[in-house]
Amino acid sequence: MCGRFSLTATPEEVREFLGLLELEDFPPRYNIAPTQPILVVVAGDRHEPGSNLPDRKAVLVRWGLMPSWVKDPKEFPLLINARAETAIGKASFRAAMRHRRVLVPASGFYEWHRPAKESGEKSQAYWIRPRHGKIVAFAGLMETWASADGSEVDTAAILTVNSNQTIGRIHDRMPVVIKPEDYERWLDCKSGEPRHVADLMTSAEEDFFEAVPVSDLVNKVKNTGPEVQAPVGESLAVAKPKKTSSGGDQMSLF
């Protein structure tokens, strides 16, 4: 599960990383929580043949997907995440998987390791960021919900998958990361069906993320400054490849 994330890169860095034609200014956000507005990237209108201009655009949506068929949002659960393994066939996400796949730019996400109650150990928060740089793009789904009075709200959820071995020590789920070379294929909902992008919904490589232990300041939504990312210990070591029975190295997704 991904219940908090951060976007502290500059608008210019986000625009360049995601190939956007333009992007309005926004402040760094260190502790983004469900129901808050988040930035997502969608496929824009195609330009004339031969044009080198980007055709992706950024929009603001509410974090917490609301299917269009929901009558009363107060009686529907808040869908901040969607399981990649079942999203294609699940009623809440089926239409979005086919028609409204998006990218969610982030500087990283937070996750909590919660030991068994009988252990007596305290939960530990981790700031999980990409080792390669400042930005990562999560796979997302978008839906527009319309109320009875005609007002509309754009909403979104982040797709998750089983964690790799490293992040699995903290939590069993992690966001799906879409690589830059796969942006176009993921966003292409006109010619690309869900089955054509199923191979993109896998856990990140073992050394893609760095997991840094942080204080419990991040637990409270009101704490929105850089102090929520201050390390309180050493980063989690990258998991070593599992050994097969023949003695060779074998990476495991689970």
Side-chain angles (χ1 to χ4, degrees):
M1 179 173 178
C2 173
R4 297 282 178 85
F5 71 99
S6 172
L7 180 58
T8 57
T10 66
E12 178 59 27
E13 289 170 332
V14 173
R15 186 192 67 77
E16 182 176 351
F17 187 76
L18 288 159
L20 303 171
L21 181 60
E22 57 184 8
L23 181 61
E24 293 185 4
D25 196 17
F26 59 84
R29 300 177 65 194
Y30 292 89
N31 194 7
I32 302 172
T35 74
Q36 293 180 351
I38 62 172
L39 190 72
V40 303
V41 173
V42 301
D45 298 327
R46 297 284 184 179
H47 293 297
E48 294 295 327
S51 173
N52 291 323
L53 292 175
D55 61 0
R56 300 175 194 138
K57 61 181 180 180
V59 296
L60 283 177
V61 302
R62 188 199 72 159
W63 187 15
L65 187 140
M66 186 70 64
S68 59
W69 43 261
V70 171
K71 300 298 183 182
D72 185 355
K74 294 180 180 179
E75 298 180 358
F76 194 80
L78 188 66
L79 303 177
I80 62 172
N81 294 148
R83 294 178 69 91
E85 301 90 336
T86 58
I88 291 177
K90 195 168 183 178
S92 297
F93 307 115
R94 188 186 301 121
M97 272 296 302
R98 177 62 185 89
H99 302 290
R100 290 171 289 278
R101 297 190 298 270
V102 302
L103 297 171
V104 183
S107 297
F109 66 103
Y110 300 95
E111 196 50 85
W112 285 260
H113 172 59
R114 295 186 169 91
K117 291 183 179 179
E118 56 269 22
S119 71
E121 296 180 26
K122 182 182 177 182
S123 295
Q124 176 61 59
Y126 284 85
W127 162 231
I128 304 174
R129 60 191 179 190
R131 295 176 184 271
H132 65 76
K134 295 182 178 180
I135 311 172
V136 64
F138 297 147
L141 302 175
M142 178 177 164
E143 276 283 15
T144 299
W145 180 81
S147 65
D149 63 8
S151 59
E152 295 184 340
V153 180
D154 291 328
T155 66
I158 294 173
L159 282 155
T160 66
V161 72
N162 283 327
S163 292
N164 57 29
Q165 295 179 61
T166 302
I167 304 304
R169 299 182 205 154
I170 302 171
H171 196 275
D172 62 354
R173 305 291 295 181
M174 68 189 301
V176 173
V177 174
I178 302 297
K179 298 178 180 179
E181 59 266 31
D182 296 318
Y183 289 170
E184 184 173 355
R185 183 154 66 101
W186 175 257
L187 293 175
D188 182 9
C189 297
K190 292 183 178 180
S191 58
E193 296 182 10
R195 60 190 174 88
H196 296 144
V197 295
D199 63 301
L200 301 181
M201 296 186 288
T202 60
S203 55
E205 293 86 351
E206 294 296 335
D207 62 351
F208 184 87
F209 284 113
E210 178 185 20
V212 183
V214 294
S215 74
D216 58 5
L217 285 174
V218 70
N219 295 5
K220 296 182 179 180
V221 178
K222 68 178 183 179
N223 295 327
T224 59
E227 64 276 4
V228 301
Q229 294 177 359
V232 296
E234 295 184 358
S235 300
L236 201 66
V238 174
K240 295 181 179 180
K242 289 183 177 180
K243 295 288 186 178
T244 63
S245 58
S246 61
D249 288 347
Q250 176 64 47
M251 297 299 289
S252 172
L253 291 178
F254 310 109

